[in-house]
Amino acid sequence: QHPFAQFYLTTDLHIASLGAHDGTDGAVIITGTGSSGFSQCAGQQRFLGGHGFPLGDKAGGAWLGLAAVQAALLALDNLGPATSLSQAVLAKTHSQDSTALMDQFCGQPSAPYGQLAALVFDEAAKGDAVAKAIVADGAGYLSNMVLQLTELGPIKVAFIGGLGGIWQPWLSD
């Protein structure tokens, strides 16, 4: 029982889309610590991603940070390139070796990983090959998400969240 004549139960993605598109058809892609997408067109809705870290949320900050930590661990073991991204991760985390880096991140939730996302973009912009590959992978995922979300019809897409604007230059036309 409730005191209201009627009410609607919906998701944060749907609400974000309603706000971004003033109640009209449209799509949103949220990229912050995680990532997810939603579109509504002609009464049809589509939800993508939002599977949670570490299983999904590709192109979210936690995913970027996890990739950076993995790259640093490979570099420390001489199994991957020693790149400026790896050095930036070690400097940011004050880690001297793989054990120290593992101690900081093993079993951690998404937030500590998400704090490394800016490093990946910074090093990619400087030309670091490993960082550029990580960003290209995430941008490819988001570009594909746009295609999937707009399959329902020609609608506007809004990128929101802490990384929303940062991704734009990396996306396909």
Side-chain angles (χ1 to χ4, degrees), residues 2-15 18 40 45:
H2 56 81
F4 308 107
Q6 59 181 238
F7 67 93
Y8 297 92
L9 182 62
T10 190
T11 67
D12 56 347
L13 281 167
H14 184 212
I15 292 167
L18 291 171
Q40 180 169 313
Q45 296 181 343

Side-chain angles (χ1 to χ4, degrees), residues 76-95:
L76 287 167
D77 288 343
N78 292 319
L79 296 171
T83 67
S84 62
L85 174 62
S86 299
Q87 294 305 313
V89 168
L90 294 174
K92 173 86 173 173
T93 62
H94 307 289
S95 298

Side-chain angles (χ1 to χ4, degrees), residues 41 44 149-156:
C41 183
Q44 295 183 329
L149 292 173
T150 58
E151 218 173 46
L152 297 174
I155 54 177
K156 294 179 181 177

